[in-house]
Amino acid sequence: MIPQFILRKLYKPKSMKNIEAGFEFALENSLAHATITRIKKIELDSIEIPLSQIELRGESGSIKAESLNEERPMPLDKGKAVNIVLSIAQLTGGEHSIKVSVATKEFGELNFQIKDTV
């Protein structure tokens, strides 16, 4: 099991921002190559976001969270970033909390929580 303090390093600081489609943040891998095979859950300020409203965008393309699986994964290569786009209302300025739970091919389930400001 990978400790929380290490997993939090996957979050790219200051990447929380409102966009036309809603809101996004980035995961930037500085650890080791990983392959995301499933988004188990993303909570924003303790509200679970439906998988149908989550999209992953990386160098290899984009995929809706509900379509992500072992056959259609999202690579999270070392030194690269993946933007997580939430199709929700834009956020108010200030601090927000995000809980992320994903399944990876290499490391199993990864769970972590971060706080940042918009």
Side-chain angles (χ1 to χ4, degrees):
M1 180 181 229
I2 302 173
Q4 281 281 310
F5 76 94
I6 292 175
L7 291 176
R8 283 189 201 104
K9 292 180 180 186
L10 291 173
Y11 174 73
K12 183 176 180 180
K14 307 291 183 201
S15 66
M16 277 188 189
K17 64 182 174 183
N18 287 314
I19 58 172
E20 189 174 322
F23 170 77
E24 76 176 1
F25 64 95
L27 301 180
E28 187 171 47
N29 188 351
S30 62
L31 306 172
H33 173 77
T35 307
I36 301 170
T37 57
R38 190 171 90 178
I39 298 289
K40 296 187 68 138
K41 180 168 55 172
I42 293 182
E43 288 183 13
L44 177 63
D45 296 330
S46 300
I47 298 171
E48 188 170 344
I49 307 301
L51 293 181
S52 61
Q53 293 177 256
I54 302 170
E55 182 178 2
L56 288 77
R57 297 179 182 168
E59 286 188 3
S60 63
S62 64
I63 188 169
K64 289 283 198 179
E66 60 192 359
S67 299
L68 199 63
N69 58 45
E70 292 275 342
E71 290 76 39
R72 294 189 66 210
M74 173 62 75
L76 186 55
D77 295 324
K78 186 174 180 180
K80 304 292 181 186
V82 170
N83 288 347
I84 311 294
V85 177
L86 308 179
S87 297
I88 60 173
Q90 293 186 339
L91 300 180
T92 58
E95 186 175 81
H96 295 277
S97 171
I98 297 175
K99 287 184 183 177
V100 176
S101 178
V102 300
T104 67
K105 188 180 293 185
E106 297 80 5
F107 305 105
E109 190 173 318
L110 304 177
N111 301 290
F112 61 95
Q113 180 176 352
I114 57 92
K115 290 183 179 182
D116 204 349
T117 56
V118 174

